[in-house]
Amino acid sequence: MMRNLRMVAWLQSALLVIIPLGVFAVILLAPAGSIFRPVGVAARYSFLTTLLALGLTTFAVFNLRGWAGALASASLSLAAFALCLLGLWVSGQSTSTVLGGLLPLYDASNYYLDAQRLLLGDGFWQFSAWRPLFPATLALVLQLTGNHLMLTLAVFSQLAGIACYLFAREVQGTHGPIAAALTLVILFFYYRQRVSGMALSEHLGLAFGALGLAAIWHGAGQKTAGRFVFGIFLLSLGLNTRPGPFLILPALLIWDTFEQRDGRRVAWKRLAAGGLAVMAAFLINFWVVRLVAAQHSIPFSNFANTIYGLVHGGAHFYSAVADNPELNALQGSEKYQTIYRLAWEEFLRNPAGLVQGIASELGLFFSNSAYSVFSYIGGENARHTLAGRLALYALSAVGLVGCLACRAPHHRLLLAAVAGVLLSVPFVPPGDAYGLRLYAAGMPVIAALPALGLAFLLQRAGRRLPWLWQRPTPTPYEGMGAWGVTFAAMLALLVCAAPLLVILNAREPAMHPAFTCTSGQERLVVELHPGSVVNIHRESEMFLDRLPDFHRSRFVEQVHGMPDAALAEAFASLAAPASIYQVVDIPTGEPAWLLFDTQQLPQNQGLVGVCGRWEQAGPVASYHLFWPEQVTLLR
């Protein structure tokens, strides 16, 4: 009998993993004309419709008890993350980080190109050396998927969705389904247009931030240190992956030390264990830099730009180079030491500039702008946007008051984490990246505060209207139970081991001896993969637009969402049929945008030799656009 019960429990746990992952896959693999198409577009771009639909359904499924409730809430969470990714794939949107709904731009492009270089046995260039854990993991997932970028980005979306769900389940266990639902909705809105479908380190920053805080939340009030140490390691790993509000770490260390004190005796052993866990994540990051980055690369060295901007009254991230063009001639540590020296000299000359900079960044953080703490809340209607943000500000204030009044372990935990985020604001300027991108690892803290505020309000109202409030109840399907811890540990191990695994399997394809170009043509050797291309078709072709295939009119309409009008115009000028790839030239490691006439492409893709010319005229010359004239399949 006991054996049968164990088999049933094991089967239920397995289905709790398999079915939500299956739901995620079905949504993304469904035919272009399925019902998921309009729902995906709404999930990504609509505000009020998505808020109401997701909020109500999430609250409903989190109200379900037991295994059925866990299955329904996990499936809905992953379905939401899949739908917003699908919305990007069918729209073909172009922004500052993505072209045609797929190909990475700017920061995302640097990560993607360095991941390709690592796959070819080369090292990272400077940008990825600042934060190498994500591009190394990106390289590993690309390696596992056969360099299929669409599938790779779907994997990262899935990881983020699981992590956010697990954190929401922890909040449900202590503050009920309404708090869990609002937590998940806020995390979803942050993720859907800022991160989903883009090759950005925010994927892992958000995932480890959610998993780390979930583990700490799970262990709050317990005397055993295991969950706290594991959680703060995960959180530290997330902040190393996507640098952000680092002061959360000392804030939580201080909270745990005093939370676990016995009378006047401070829990120094807990402090030491937590500190070692934090240091371990930093050491792993430094090890990866030494393993895969260019010689003399320094992680976090670009923090010098932040300090320079701060002491100059809140100037932008690139102001140091803009004010001192001679810095472009310096390399490595010399450049950033010089920026620190210039910042110090400015502080001595005008100390008020630092105060002005701090005030400026805090003003942005609490504003109603694209750089505020709730900037990702909103959409097509300005009044709805303002109402949504004001409501979250108000609920956050209630959450702070409630945490101060209740003083339970989870409330003290959240107060410490919020303090860490706020103290970090001057050093992680919201103005350096719209949509609070830099705060990915701290987003679970930001989401939990208004969620607890709503729970406090409903709990008080529930004394008069009991149907409004459902007490939290223990559940065998807690977020950071056995399955949650296993998932978090496997993800952490994968990220830490990623560079070594890629290096051990890296290869440099042999060049074909018969490959030659005519006089005057440039020569590239690249790898082309069908899941990493955007194809532009004639209007006469009948199909529904969806990656990788778009009609020219849809592509041209969307491409003007890019910030550089000249680059957008260069892509818009492509005549159909055309295919766009972003690649690395294997012999040199140089990046290239290949702008093919699709009819030039060989039927079987793989290693190819390309002859053609670089775009060297006009304002787009620095973007490495390459016009192929001859293509030879090498393997």
Side-chain angles (χ1 to χ4, degrees), residues 112-142:
Y112 180 55
L113 293 170
D114 271 331
Q116 293 191 58
R117 293 185 183 104
L118 190 61
L119 289 171
L120 296 169
D122 202 354
F124 287 165
W125 289 12
Q126 180 59 64
F127 185 89
S128 293
W130 287 335
R131 47 187 88 92
L133 290 173
F134 172 73
T137 308
L138 177 62
L140 178 61
V141 181
L142 284 169

PDB file of all heavy atoms in Angstrom, residues 112-142:
ATOM      1  N   TYR A 112      25.576  37.704 -28.085  1.00  0.00           N
ATOM      2  CA  TYR A 112      25.366  36.654 -29.079  1.00  0.00           C
ATOM      3  C   TYR A 112      26.633  36.393 -29.879  1.00  0.00           C
ATOM      4  O   TYR A 112      27.011  35.235 -30.117  1.00  0.00           O
ATOM      5  CB  TYR A 112      24.216  37.067 -29.997  1.00  0.00           C
ATOM      6  CG  TYR A 112      23.878  36.084 -31.094  1.00  0.00           C
ATOM      7  CD1 TYR A 112      23.591  34.756 -30.805  1.00  0.00           C
ATOM      8  CD2 TYR A 112      23.844  36.493 -32.430  1.00  0.00           C
ATOM      9  CE1 TYR A 112      23.274  33.857 -31.809  1.00  0.00           C
ATOM     10  CE2 TYR A 112      23.521  35.603 -33.439  1.00  0.00           C
ATOM     11  CZ  TYR A 112      23.239  34.282 -33.125  1.00  0.00           C
ATOM     12  OH  TYR A 112      22.920  33.402 -34.130  1.00  0.00           O
ATOM     13  N   LEU A 113      27.308  37.450 -30.278  1.00  0.00           N
ATOM     14  CA  LEU A 113      28.536  37.282 -31.061  1.00  0.00           C
ATOM     15  C   LEU A 113      29.633  36.637 -30.228  1.00  0.00           C
ATOM     16  O   LEU A 113      30.370  35.774 -30.716  1.00  0.00           O
ATOM     17  CB  LEU A 113      28.995  38.639 -31.598  1.00  0.00           C
ATOM     18  CG  LEU A 113      28.080  39.278 -32.650  1.00  0.00           C
ATOM     19  CD1 LEU A 113      28.492  40.711 -32.915  1.00  0.00           C
ATOM     20  CD2 LEU A 113      28.099  38.472 -33.948  1.00  0.00           C
ATOM     21  N   ASP A 114      29.743  37.030 -28.966  1.00  0.00           N
ATOM     22  CA  ASP A 114      30.755  36.407 -28.116  1.00  0.00           C
ATOM     23  C   ASP A 114      30.428  34.948 -27.831  1.00  0.00           C
ATOM     24  O   ASP A 114      31.331  34.119 -27.691  1.00  0.00           O
ATOM     25  CB  ASP A 114      30.899  37.187 -26.811  1.00  0.00           C
ATOM     26  CG  ASP A 114      31.935  38.302 -26.917  1.00  0.00           C
ATOM     27  OD1 ASP A 114      32.871  38.152 -27.715  1.00  0.00           O
ATOM     28  OD2 ASP A 114      31.796  39.314 -26.222  1.00  0.00           O
ATOM     29  N   ALA A 115      29.150  34.623 -27.731  1.00  0.00           N
ATOM     30  CA  ALA A 115      28.767  33.217 -27.571  1.00  0.00           C
ATOM     31  C   ALA A 115      29.208  32.416 -28.792  1.00  0.00           C
ATOM     32  O   ALA A 115      29.724  31.293 -28.660  1.00  0.00           O
ATOM     33  CB  ALA A 115      27.259  33.104 -27.373  1.00  0.00           C
ATOM     34  N   GLN A 116      29.036  32.993 -29.983  1.00  0.00           N
ATOM     35  CA  GLN A 116      29.490  32.302 -31.191  1.00  0.00           C
ATOM     36  C   GLN A 116      31.011  32.162 -31.210  1.00  0.00           C
ATOM     37  O   GLN A 116      31.539  31.127 -31.632  1.00  0.00           O
ATOM     38  CB  GLN A 116      29.019  33.074 -32.427  1.00  0.00           C
ATOM     39  CG  GLN A 116      27.513  33.056 -32.614  1.00  0.00           C
ATOM     40  CD  GLN A 116      27.111  33.602 -33.968  1.00  0.00           C
ATOM     41  OE1 GLN A 116      27.528  33.099 -35.004  1.00  0.00           O
ATOM     42  NE2 GLN A 116      26.292  34.641 -33.971  1.00  0.00           N
ATOM     43  N   ARG A 117      31.714  33.199 -30.762  1.00  0.00           N
ATOM     44  CA  ARG A 117      33.180  33.111 -30.722  1.00  0.00           C
ATOM     45  C   ARG A 117      33.627  31.999 -29.778  1.00  0.00           C
ATOM     46  O   ARG A 117      34.577  31.260 -30.064  1.00  0.00           O
ATOM     47  CB  ARG A 117      33.772  34.457 -30.272  1.00  0.00           C
ATOM     48  CG  ARG A 117      33.568  35.584 -31.271  1.00  0.00           C
ATOM     49  CD  ARG A 117      34.277  36.862 -30.838  1.00  0.00           C
ATOM     50  NE  ARG A 117      33.993  37.935 -31.781  1.00  0.00           N
ATOM     51  CZ  ARG A 117      33.146  38.935 -31.551  1.00  0.00           C
ATOM     52  NH1 ARG A 117      32.522  39.018 -30.392  1.00  0.00           N
ATOM     53  NH2 ARG A 117      32.942  39.859 -32.472  1.00  0.00           N
ATOM     54  N   LEU A 118      32.957  31.888 -28.639  1.00  0.00           N
ATOM     55  CA  LEU A 118      33.318  30.842 -27.681  1.00  0.00           C
ATOM     56  C   LEU A 118      33.085  29.463 -28.277  1.00  0.00           C
ATOM     57  O   LEU A 118      33.886  28.536 -28.062  1.00  0.00           O
ATOM     58  CB  LEU A 118      32.503  31.017 -26.398  1.00  0.00           C
ATOM     59  CG  LEU A 118      32.932  30.162 -25.205  1.00  0.00           C
ATOM     60  CD1 LEU A 118      34.356  30.487 -24.790  1.00  0.00           C
ATOM     61  CD2 LEU A 118      31.979  30.367 -24.037  1.00  0.00           C
ATOM     62  N   LEU A 119      32.014  29.310 -29.041  1.00  0.00           N
ATOM     63  CA  LEU A 119      31.745  28.026 -29.692  1.00  0.00           C
ATOM     64  C   LEU A 119      32.825  27.653 -30.700  1.00  0.00           C
ATOM     65  O   LEU A 119      33.025  26.480 -31.009  1.00  0.00           O
ATOM     66  CB  LEU A 119      30.386  28.077 -30.397  1.00  0.00           C
ATOM     67  CG  LEU A 119      29.158  28.086 -29.485  1.00  0.00           C
ATOM     68  CD1 LEU A 119      27.899  28.357 -30.292  1.00  0.00           C
ATOM     69  CD2 LEU A 119      29.030  26.761 -28.746  1.00  0.00           C
ATOM     70  N   LEU A 120      33.514  28.673 -31.213  1.00  0.00           N
ATOM     71  CA  LEU A 120      34.565  28.442 -32.198  1.00  0.00           C
ATOM     72  C   LEU A 120      35.952  28.373 -31.575  1.00  0.00           C
ATOM     73  O   LEU A 120      36.960  28.372 -32.275  1.00  0.00           O
ATOM     74  CB  LEU A 120      34.536  29.539 -33.273  1.00  0.00           C
ATOM     75  CG  LEU A 120      33.262  29.573 -34.116  1.00  0.00           C
ATOM     76  CD1 LEU A 120      33.211  30.835 -34.949  1.00  0.00           C
ATOM     77  CD2 LEU A 120      33.177  28.340 -35.004  1.00  0.00           C
ATOM     78  N   GLY A 121      35.996  28.336 -30.237  1.00  0.00           N
ATOM     79  CA  GLY A 121      37.278  28.205 -29.558  1.00  0.00           C
ATOM     80  C   GLY A 121      37.970  29.516 -29.281  1.00  0.00           C
ATOM     81  O   GLY A 121      39.131  29.527 -28.844  1.00  0.00           O
ATOM     82  N   ASP A 122      37.307  30.635 -29.520  1.00  0.00           N
ATOM     83  CA  ASP A 122      37.887  31.947 -29.266  1.00  0.00           C
ATOM     84  C   ASP A 122      37.438  32.441 -27.896  1.00  0.00           C
ATOM     85  O   ASP A 122      36.609  31.815 -27.232  1.00  0.00           O
ATOM     86  CB  ASP A 122      37.443  32.923 -30.358  1.00  0.00           C
ATOM     87  CG  ASP A 122      38.388  34.111 -30.484  1.00  0.00           C
ATOM     88  OD1 ASP A 122      39.302  34.216 -29.642  1.00  0.00           O
ATOM     89  OD2 ASP A 122      38.219  34.923 -31.412  1.00  0.00           O
ATOM     90  N   GLY A 123      37.961  33.588 -27.459  1.00  0.00           N
ATOM     91  CA  GLY A 123      37.579  34.152 -26.179  1.00  0.00           C
ATOM     92  C   GLY A 123      36.598  35.302 -26.337  1.00  0.00           C
ATOM     93  O   GLY A 123      36.314  35.761 -27.442  1.00  0.00           O
ATOM     94  N   PHE A 124      36.078  35.779 -25.203  1.00  0.00           N
ATOM     95  CA  PHE A 124      35.156  36.911 -25.218  1.00  0.00           C
ATOM     96  C   PHE A 124      35.903  38.210 -25.494  1.00  0.00           C
ATOM     97  O   PHE A 124      37.051  38.374 -25.097  1.00  0.00           O
ATOM     98  CB  PHE A 124      34.451  37.042 -23.869  1.00  0.00           C
ATOM     99  CG  PHE A 124      33.406  35.991 -23.607  1.00  0.00           C
ATOM    100  CD1 PHE A 124      32.919  35.788 -22.334  1.00  0.00           C
ATOM    101  CD2 PHE A 124      32.916  35.205 -24.634  1.00  0.00           C
ATOM    102  CE1 PHE A 124      31.951  34.837 -22.073  1.00  0.00           C
ATOM    103  CE2 PHE A 124      31.949  34.241 -24.389  1.00  0.00           C
ATOM    104  CZ  PHE A 124      31.472  34.052 -23.108  1.00  0.00           C
ATOM    105  N   TRP A 125      35.205  39.142 -26.111  1.00  0.00           N
ATOM    106  CA  TRP A 125      35.704  40.494 -26.236  1.00  0.00           C
ATOM    107  C   TRP A 125      35.308  41.270 -24.979  1.00  0.00           C
ATOM    108  O   TRP A 125      34.705  40.738 -24.063  1.00  0.00           O
ATOM    109  CB  TRP A 125      35.178  41.135 -27.519  1.00  0.00           C
ATOM    110  CG  TRP A 125      35.814  40.553 -28.759  1.00  0.00           C
ATOM    111  CD1 TRP A 125      36.585  39.429 -28.824  1.00  0.00           C
ATOM    112  CD2 TRP A 125      35.735  41.057 -30.091  1.00  0.00           C
ATOM    113  NE1 TRP A 125      36.991  39.191 -30.119  1.00  0.00           N
ATOM    114  CE2 TRP A 125      36.481  40.188 -30.925  1.00  0.00           C
ATOM    115  CE3 TRP A 125      35.112  42.158 -30.678  1.00  0.00           C
ATOM    116  CZ2 TRP A 125      36.613  40.386 -32.296  1.00  0.00           C
ATOM    117  CZ3 TRP A 125      35.238  42.357 -32.051  1.00  0.00           C
ATOM    118  CH2 TRP A 125      35.984  41.492 -32.845  1.00  0.00           C
ATOM    119  N   GLN A 126      35.623  42.578 -24.944  1.00  0.00           N
ATOM    120  CA  GLN A 126      35.513  43.345 -23.711  1.00  0.00           C
ATOM    121  C   GLN A 126      34.102  43.370 -23.126  1.00  0.00           C
ATOM    122  O   GLN A 126      33.912  43.219 -21.929  1.00  0.00           O
ATOM    123  CB  GLN A 126      35.987  44.783 -23.952  1.00  0.00           C
ATOM    124  CG  GLN A 126      35.918  45.678 -22.718  1.00  0.00           C
ATOM    125  CD  GLN A 126      36.741  45.164 -21.559  1.00  0.00           C
ATOM    126  OE1 GLN A 126      37.956  45.071 -21.645  1.00  0.00           O
ATOM    127  NE2 GLN A 126      36.077  44.790 -20.457  1.00  0.00           N
ATOM    128  N   PHE A 127      33.075  43.544 -23.963  1.00  0.00           N
ATOM    129  CA  PHE A 127      31.727  43.719 -23.429  1.00  0.00           C
ATOM    130  C   PHE A 127      31.297  42.520 -22.597  1.00  0.00           C
ATOM    131  O   PHE A 127      30.806  42.671 -21.471  1.00  0.00           O
ATOM    132  CB  PHE A 127      30.737  43.958 -24.571  1.00  0.00           C
ATOM    133  CG  PHE A 127      29.347  44.274 -24.104  1.00  0.00           C
ATOM    134  CD1 PHE A 127      28.968  45.578 -23.847  1.00  0.00           C
ATOM    135  CD2 PHE A 127      28.417  43.265 -23.894  1.00  0.00           C
ATOM    136  CE1 PHE A 127      27.688  45.873 -23.383  1.00  0.00           C
ATOM    137  CE2 PHE A 127      27.139  43.550 -23.445  1.00  0.00           C
ATOM    138  CZ  PHE A 127      26.775  44.863 -23.191  1.00  0.00           C
ATOM    139  N   SER A 128      31.457  41.331 -23.125  1.00  0.00           N
ATOM    140  CA  SER A 128      31.025  40.138 -22.400  1.00  0.00           C
ATOM    141  C   SER A 128      31.927  39.834 -21.212  1.00  0.00           C
ATOM    142  O   SER A 128      31.511  39.151 -20.276  1.00  0.00           O
ATOM    143  CB  SER A 128      30.978  38.934 -23.341  1.00  0.00           C
ATOM    144  OG  SER A 128      29.960  39.086 -24.301  1.00  0.00           O
ATOM    145  N   ALA A 129      33.170  40.345 -21.238  1.00  0.00           N
ATOM    146  CA  ALA A 129      34.062  40.142 -20.097  1.00  0.00           C
ATOM    147  C   ALA A 129      33.545  40.859 -18.858  1.00  0.00           C
ATOM    148  O   ALA A 129      33.864  40.475 -17.730  1.00  0.00           O
ATOM    149  CB  ALA A 129      35.464  40.639 -20.433  1.00  0.00           C
ATOM    150  N   TRP A 130      32.725  41.900 -19.029  1.00  0.00           N
ATOM    151  CA  TRP A 130      32.154  42.599 -17.880  1.00  0.00           C
ATOM    152  C   TRP A 130      31.186  41.700 -17.118  1.00  0.00           C
ATOM    153  O   TRP A 130      31.047  41.819 -15.912  1.00  0.00           O
ATOM    154  CB  TRP A 130      31.423  43.861 -18.336  1.00  0.00           C
ATOM    155  CG  TRP A 130      32.335  44.962 -18.774  1.00  0.00           C
ATOM    156  CD1 TRP A 130      33.635  45.167 -18.391  1.00  0.00           C
ATOM    157  CD2 TRP A 130      32.019  46.021 -19.685  1.00  0.00           C
ATOM    158  NE1 TRP A 130      34.143  46.284 -19.008  1.00  0.00           N
ATOM    159  CE2 TRP A 130      33.175  46.836 -19.810  1.00  0.00           C
ATOM    160  CE3 TRP A 130      30.890  46.376 -20.413  1.00  0.00           C
ATOM    161  CZ2 TRP A 130      33.214  47.971 -20.619  1.00  0.00           C
ATOM    162  CZ3 TRP A 130      30.928  47.501 -21.214  1.00  0.00           C
ATOM    163  CH2 TRP A 130      32.076  48.285 -21.320  1.00  0.00           C
ATOM    164  N   ARG A 131      30.476  40.841 -17.831  1.00  0.00           N
ATOM    165  CA  ARG A 131      29.490  39.955 -17.195  1.00  0.00           C
ATOM    166  C   ARG A 131      29.428  38.659 -18.006  1.00  0.00           C
ATOM    167  O   ARG A 131      28.506  38.443 -18.790  1.00  0.00           O
ATOM    168  CB  ARG A 131      28.134  40.647 -17.097  1.00  0.00           C
ATOM    169  CG  ARG A 131      27.661  41.332 -18.339  1.00  0.00           C
ATOM    170  CD  ARG A 131      26.384  42.123 -18.094  1.00  0.00           C
ATOM    171  NE  ARG A 131      26.633  43.468 -17.635  1.00  0.00           N
ATOM    172  CZ  ARG A 131      26.737  44.529 -18.443  1.00  0.00           C
ATOM    173  NH1 ARG A 131      26.610  44.379 -19.741  1.00  0.00           N
ATOM    174  NH2 ARG A 131      26.957  45.731 -17.970  1.00  0.00           N
ATOM    175  N   PRO A 132      30.393  37.744 -17.798  1.00  0.00           N
ATOM    176  CA  PRO A 132      30.592  36.608 -18.716  1.00  0.00           C
ATOM    177  C   PRO A 132      29.669  35.417 -18.492  1.00  0.00           C
ATOM    178  O   PRO A 132      29.617  34.530 -19.347  1.00  0.00           O
ATOM    179  CB  PRO A 132      32.043  36.217 -18.457  1.00  0.00           C
ATOM    180  CG  PRO A 132      32.248  36.571 -17.011  1.00  0.00           C
ATOM    181  CD  PRO A 132      31.449  37.817 -16.775  1.00  0.00           C
ATOM    182  N   LEU A 133      28.967  35.340 -17.356  1.00  0.00           N
ATOM    183  CA  LEU A 133      28.199  34.131 -17.067  1.00  0.00           C
ATOM    184  C   LEU A 133      27.062  33.922 -18.058  1.00  0.00           C
ATOM    185  O   LEU A 133      26.808  32.789 -18.496  1.00  0.00           O
ATOM    186  CB  LEU A 133      27.645  34.190 -15.642  1.00  0.00           C
ATOM    187  CG  LEU A 133      28.687  34.054 -14.524  1.00  0.00           C
ATOM    188  CD1 LEU A 133      28.053  34.304 -13.169  1.00  0.00           C
ATOM    189  CD2 LEU A 133      29.332  32.679 -14.568  1.00  0.00           C
ATOM    190  N   PHE A 134      26.378  35.007 -18.441  1.00  0.00           N
ATOM    191  CA  PHE A 134      25.283  34.822 -19.391  1.00  0.00           C
ATOM    192  C   PHE A 134      25.772  34.427 -20.781  1.00  0.00           C
ATOM    193  O   PHE A 134      25.254  33.450 -21.351  1.00  0.00           O
ATOM    194  CB  PHE A 134      24.403  36.068 -19.485  1.00  0.00           C
ATOM    195  CG  PHE A 134      23.392  35.967 -20.597  1.00  0.00           C
ATOM    196  CD1 PHE A 134      22.295  35.131 -20.478  1.00  0.00           C
ATOM    197  CD2 PHE A 134      23.565  36.670 -21.781  1.00  0.00           C
ATOM    198  CE1 PHE A 134      21.376  35.004 -21.521  1.00  0.00           C
ATOM    199  CE2 PHE A 134      22.653  36.551 -22.818  1.00  0.00           C
ATOM    200  CZ  PHE A 134      21.556  35.717 -22.681  1.00  0.00           C
ATOM    201  N   PRO A 135      26.726  35.137 -21.394  1.00  0.00           N
ATOM    202  CA  PRO A 135      27.142  34.711 -22.734  1.00  0.00           C
ATOM    203  C   PRO A 135      27.738  33.302 -22.765  1.00  0.00           C
ATOM    204  O   PRO A 135      27.593  32.591 -23.763  1.00  0.00           O
ATOM    205  CB  PRO A 135      28.166  35.764 -23.160  1.00  0.00           C
ATOM    206  CG  PRO A 135      28.556  36.467 -21.915  1.00  0.00           C
ATOM    207  CD  PRO A 135      27.381  36.392 -21.002  1.00  0.00           C
ATOM    208  N   ALA A 136      28.379  32.899 -21.661  1.00  0.00           N
ATOM    209  CA  ALA A 136      28.890  31.520 -21.614  1.00  0.00           C
ATOM    210  C   ALA A 136      27.741  30.524 -21.593  1.00  0.00           C
ATOM    211  O   ALA A 136      27.772  29.492 -22.289  1.00  0.00           O
ATOM    212  CB  ALA A 136      29.775  31.337 -20.383  1.00  0.00           C
ATOM    213  N   THR A 137      26.698  30.824 -20.822  1.00  0.00           N
ATOM    214  CA  THR A 137      25.517  29.950 -20.791  1.00  0.00           C
ATOM    215  C   THR A 137      24.786  29.991 -22.125  1.00  0.00           C
ATOM    216  O   THR A 137      24.292  28.957 -22.604  1.00  0.00           O
ATOM    217  CB  THR A 137      24.576  30.380 -19.661  1.00  0.00           C
ATOM    218  OG1 THR A 137      25.307  30.469 -18.443  1.00  0.00           O
ATOM    219  CG2 THR A 137      23.440  29.380 -19.497  1.00  0.00           C
ATOM    220  N   LEU A 138      24.708  31.170 -22.724  1.00  0.00           N
ATOM    221  CA  LEU A 138      24.096  31.292 -24.054  1.00  0.00           C
ATOM    222  C   LEU A 138      24.828  30.412 -25.059  1.00  0.00           C
ATOM    223  O   LEU A 138      24.203  29.729 -25.885  1.00  0.00           O
ATOM    224  CB  LEU A 138      24.136  32.752 -24.498  1.00  0.00           C
ATOM    225  CG  LEU A 138      23.604  33.075 -25.896  1.00  0.00           C
ATOM    226  CD1 LEU A 138      22.125  32.714 -26.014  1.00  0.00           C
ATOM    227  CD2 LEU A 138      23.828  34.547 -26.230  1.00  0.00           C
ATOM    228  N   ALA A 139      26.159  30.397 -24.977  1.00  0.00           N
ATOM    229  CA  ALA A 139      26.942  29.552 -25.886  1.00  0.00           C
ATOM    230  C   ALA A 139      26.629  28.074 -25.678  1.00  0.00           C
ATOM    231  O   ALA A 139      26.485  27.302 -26.635  1.00  0.00           O
ATOM    232  CB  ALA A 139      28.431  29.803 -25.680  1.00  0.00           C
ATOM    233  N   LEU A 140      26.493  27.669 -24.406  1.00  0.00           N
ATOM    234  CA  LEU A 140      26.197  26.268 -24.118  1.00  0.00           C
ATOM    235  C   LEU A 140      24.827  25.871 -24.657  1.00  0.00           C
ATOM    236  O   LEU A 140      24.676  24.809 -25.274  1.00  0.00           O
ATOM    237  CB  LEU A 140      26.265  26.024 -22.611  1.00  0.00           C
ATOM    238  CG  LEU A 140      25.920  24.608 -22.164  1.00  0.00           C
ATOM    239  CD1 LEU A 140      26.884  23.591 -22.768  1.00  0.00           C
ATOM    240  CD2 LEU A 140      25.928  24.506 -20.636  1.00  0.00           C
ATOM    241  N   VAL A 141      23.823  26.712 -24.444  1.00  0.00           N
ATOM    242  CA  VAL A 141      22.479  26.375 -24.923  1.00  0.00           C
ATOM    243  C   VAL A 141      22.457  26.381 -26.458  1.00  0.00           C
ATOM    244  O   VAL A 141      21.809  25.524 -27.074  1.00  0.00           O
ATOM    245  CB  VAL A 141      21.431  27.343 -24.348  1.00  0.00           C
ATOM    246  CG1 VAL A 141      20.034  26.974 -24.833  1.00  0.00           C
ATOM    247  CG2 VAL A 141      21.466  27.314 -22.824  1.00  0.00           C
ATOM    248  N   LEU A 142      23.161  27.316 -27.079  1.00  0.00           N
ATOM    249  CA  LEU A 142      23.276  27.299 -28.540  1.00  0.00           C
ATOM    250  C   LEU A 142      23.926  26.001 -29.018  1.00  0.00           C
ATOM    251  O   LEU A 142      23.505  25.405 -30.016  1.00  0.00           O
ATOM    252  CB  LEU A 142      24.090  28.497 -29.029  1.00  0.00           C
ATOM    253  CG  LEU A 142      23.382  29.854 -29.041  1.00  0.00           C
ATOM    254  CD1 LEU A 142      24.388  30.976 -29.274  1.00  0.00           C
ATOM    255  CD2 LEU A 142      22.307  29.895 -30.129  1.00  0.00           C
TER     256      LEU A 142
END
